[in-house]
Amino acid sequence: MDKSSENNRHVYWNPYFGGFLLGLLIIFTFYMTGRGLGASGAMKSSVVTLVDKVSHEHTINNAYYSKFVKDDESPMNTWLVFESLGVLAGAFISGSLSGRIGFRVQHSPKITSRRRLVFALFGGILFGLGAQIARGCTSGAALSGMAVLSTGGFITMLAIFGTAYLFAYFFRKNWI
Amino acid sequence: MGPLIPNGILTNEWNIIIAVLIGLAFGFILEASGFSSSRKLAGVFYGYDFAVLKVFFTAAVVSVIGLYYMDYLGWIDMGMLYVHPTYLWAAIIGGAIMGVGFVAGGFCPGTSLCAVAIGKLDAWVYVFGIMLGVFIFSEAYSVLEGLYNGSFLGNITLVDSFDIPANYIIFGVTIIALVAFFVSDIVRKRIKKVFY
């Protein structure tokens, strides 16, 4: 790797520039599709598909899975799954251009990677659970909700960031 | 005019192509803004990096001003846009659980996908965790159904909730965002730098 990309690895866009482009993208998304962005929806579709593969009987008998299982098509055939495939590709392109690609576990030097992975798993479980209860995550509920002044979107945003600040003290060793 | 696909101006087949293109832009913007780094994301909770706050609120303000302005110009019909429904307690409790997950895991679902794409193994574990969380919710749905479907207030907006016109609300949100940007820069100068 040449020296310039080594130095640029942690140089990111100005946050206001990134935010401005993201705002334009949300406008474009609503203008085209009438809906906002999302992320956790694709993971839900993946879970529904996996469970459906293991036991179709179980998915049709479960009141939640059955909402997303259709007889004639795969539960993966949703807008958010295609959008998320785009997210993976887009992030890969951006990471490639800046030399940020590589398998590693990122963590504070004060903790072990094992501890980082345990907390990542635990945090993911909570986020997955919470995103189902609130019908969307930071993208689908909070950001896309706020773009159309949805009351639920604002409440979810305040609950996410408010609680994260409240609990930040207990997880400080992982980050600072 | 807009939204184009619900109004039948573009056919439904375009939906999938547009989904991939929008996703591409979304992933690129998030990764280029540094959202594939959990340590950068977590900075917002400890005051050493406010990129999350700045990107998130800039995007919210730009999008809400843009959409309402396009509605005013007659380019888009706000009434046809999907408004995220308000289930009061589900939004609060679900949001609170996500908040703990955010500060424990250092990602949210969208950002974790970006980190997965550039090979962060902690993000792979995080996404696996999200899928486990979805699985737990689905299996426990009979217990959580009351919370999930309860306290439904409709697809309401802040205009309905506070009964004040949208332009005042948007102006207020913009002022709050600008104050938050200003305060975050002051806080960051006082907090010990964290290198990551």
Side-chain angles (χ1 to χ4, degrees), chain A residues 4-20:
Chain A
S4 67
S5 63
E6 181 73 34
N7 289 338
N8 286 335
R9 198 186 271 179
H10 293 293
V11 176
Y12 299 111
W13 281 356
N14 178 309
Y16 299 119
F17 177 68
F20 180 72

Side-chain angles (χ1 to χ4, degrees), chain A residues 10-13 15-16 18-35 37-40 43-44 46-47 50-51 58 62-65 67 77-79 82-84 86-95 97 100-110 116-117 119-143 145-157 159-161 163-165 167-169 171-172 174-176, chain B residues 1-6 10 15-16 18-20 22-29 31-34 37-40 42 44-46 48 50-52 54-60 62-64 66-68 70 75-76 78 81-88 90-92 94-110 112-114 116-122 125-126 128-139 141 147-149 156-159 161 166 169-170 173 181 194 196:
Chain A
H10 293 293
V11 176
Y12 299 111
W13 281 356
Y16 299 119
F20 180 72
L21 287 190
L22 186 55
L24 293 185
L25 181 67
I26 295 168
I27 295 172
F28 179 75
T29 310
F30 271 106
Y31 182 68
M32 285 301 197
T33 67
R35 302 178 67 102
L37 299 165
S40 58
M43 299 170 199
K44 177 187 74 189
S46 311
V47 172
L50 284 173
V51 175
H58 183 67
N62 177 302
Y64 192 65
Y65 293 130
K67 292 173 196 270
N77 190 10
T78 64
W79 195 88
F82 289 99
E83 184 230 45
S84 298
V87 169
L88 288 171
F92 183 79
I93 295 168
S94 167
L97 294 175
R100 285 192 285 265
I101 307 283
F103 287 109
R104 67 193 184 105
V105 178
Q106 188 191 21
H107 60 86
S108 160
K110 291 175 189 165
R116 167 71 187 126
L117 293 178
F119 274 87
L121 180 67
F122 166 71
I125 291 172
L126 287 178
F127 217 114
L129 183 63
Q132 296 316 299
I133 294 173
R135 289 177 166 74
C137 60
T138 5
S139 314
L143 195 55
M146 285 167 75
V148 291
L149 296 180
S150 154
T151 304
F154 274 89
I155 294 172
T156 305
M157 182 274 293
I160 293 174
F161 285 99
T163 317
Y165 274 105
F167 281 82
Y169 180 80
F171 296 101
R172 67 190 184 286
N174 289 347
W175 306 108
I176 53 174
Chain B
M1 286 300 286
L4 297 184
I5 290 168
L10 281 180
N15 221 349
I16 298 303
I18 289 168
V20 176
I22 286 173
L24 265 172
F26 189 28
F28 195 102
I29 294 168
E31 209 288 325
S33 301
S37 164
S38 59
R39 296 198 67 203
K40 188 175 178 71
V44 71
F45 303 121
Y46 300 97
Y48 64 83
F50 282 100
V52 169
K54 290 174 177 174
V55 172
F56 190 87
F57 278 98
T58 307
V62 167
S63 56
V64 74
L67 285 172
Y68 271 86
M70 286 167 76
W75 295 356
I76 194 167
M78 283 303 285
L81 302 186
Y82 175 76
V83 175
H84 181 74
T86 302
Y87 293 80
L88 185 63
I92 294 172
I97 295 172
M98 283 189 268
V100 181
F102 200 162
V103 74
F107 287 118
C108 61
S112 68
L113 280 180
C114 295
V116 160
I118 65 160
K120 296 268 172 76
L121 297 172
D122 42 331
V125 172
Y126 188 83
F128 179 71
I130 292 177
M131 292 174 70
L132 269 184
V134 175
F135 180 71
I136 292 167
F137 174 85
S138 312
E139 296 302 325
Y141 185 66
L147 173 65
Y148 182 76
N149 285 324
I156 54 168
T157 64
L158 292 180
V159 178
S161 301
I169 294 172
I170 295 169
V173 171
F181 297 154
V194 173
Y196 51 89

